[in-house]
Amino acid sequence: SPMVPTFRSDVRIFMVRPNSHGNTDGNNSPTLAWFGGGADLTPYYLFDEDITFFHSKMRDLCEAHSDSDADSDSNSMTRIDYPTMKQ
């Protein structure tokens, strides 16, 4: 139905193991990781209620998974334990 908007999203994880001080074996360097991607609503017919609903759900999702300590702890923003995250 053209009255139902299309939803599109993609998520990526980027992982980098830094080479610190010439160490190429990677055993002593933490893996840095971050997520990227996006989501959008593509309406064929624009309704304010759809826009409000979409953005409120996206906000709720982000808030539910945010790290409230991220601003005070720089490690929480740059380091993750990938095997734990995958469980």
Side-chain angles (χ1 to χ4, degrees):
S1 168
M3 303 303 278
V4 178
T6 302
F7 172 75
R8 178 215 59 90
S9 69
D10 61 86
V11 178
R12 298 177 186 98
I13 183 170
F14 300 91
M15 299 180 72
V16 177
R17 181 166 291 154
N19 179 4
S20 62
H21 306 294
N23 178 9
T24 58
D25 65 6
N27 290 332
N28 296 324
S29 299
T31 300
L32 305 178
W34 63 95
F35 290 94
D40 59 59
L41 187 68
T42 307
Y44 297 98
Y45 293 97
L46 188 58
F47 297 104
D48 289 342
E49 296 84 13
D50 290 339
I51 297 167
T52 302
F53 179 80
F54 174 78
H55 286 284
S56 69
K57 292 300 178 184
M58 294 300 289
R59 182 198 60 230
D60 293 348
L61 181 65
C62 291
E63 288 176 356
H65 296 282
S66 69
D67 184 356
S68 61
D69 296 330
D71 293 333
S72 62
D73 181 8
S74 63
N75 287 337
S76 67
M77 293 179 63
T78 58
R79 296 184 185 166
I80 63 163
D81 180 8
Y82 187 72
T84 301
M85 182 193 71
K86 291 294 288 183
Q87 291 179 356

